[in-house]
Amino acid sequence: MEISCGLIRGRHSVPPTITDFIYLYDIPQANICDSAYMESICQDYLRKHPGVTAINVYVTGFTPALLALIKVCGARIIHVNAYNYDREGKTFWRQEVI
């Protein structure tokens, strides 16, 4: 099963079809260096989507949050495609990660 979502709700615009987010709120200042905290959020998100084999994630900022997702997906052998924003074209472009 393949799913599509945004990384962090409210940080940047995503296509209107994307209504699901891994991080429902911005990372609290107290947790910006806490990779275990971010990984636990990713684990919780994936538990809500059993059977997922691929995830298309619209990157909405904060690299450590994205790396936590990649680490968790790698351990679960879940394919990750990152959709990055192109400011000039005002579109997203696909980057196969794992």
Side-chain angles (χ1 to χ4, degrees):
M1 174 178 72
E2 182 175 286
I3 60 173
S4 296
C5 62
L7 186 62
I8 302 173
R9 177 179 279 149
R11 282 188 65 102
H12 298 289
S13 295
V14 296
T17 56
I18 301 301
T19 58
D20 194 21
F21 290 83
I22 296 168
Y23 299 87
L24 299 178
Y25 307 98
D26 212 350
I27 309 300
Q29 185 66 30
N31 299 103
I32 62 167
C33 297
D34 187 347
S35 58
Y37 168 82
M38 289 178 262
E39 290 170 23
S40 71
I41 292 173
C42 295
Q43 294 282 9
D44 290 345
Y45 178 82
L46 291 173
R47 275 190 212 95
K48 295 175 187 171
H49 297 87
V52 67
T53 57
I55 186 167
N56 299 309
V57 61
Y58 285 78
V59 181
T60 54
F62 201 55
T63 302
L66 178 61
L67 294 175
L69 175 65
I70 292 168
K71 182 177 178 182
V72 168
C73 287
R76 292 177 171 227
I77 312 173
I78 296 173
H79 185 82
V80 177
N81 292 308
Y83 283 79
N84 303 286
Y85 189 67
D86 172 11
R87 288 182 184 160
E88 281 190 26
K90 296 184 178 19
T91 59
F92 285 86
W93 59 276
R94 181 179 172 268
Q95 179 181 20
E96 187 173 335
V97 181
I98 59 171

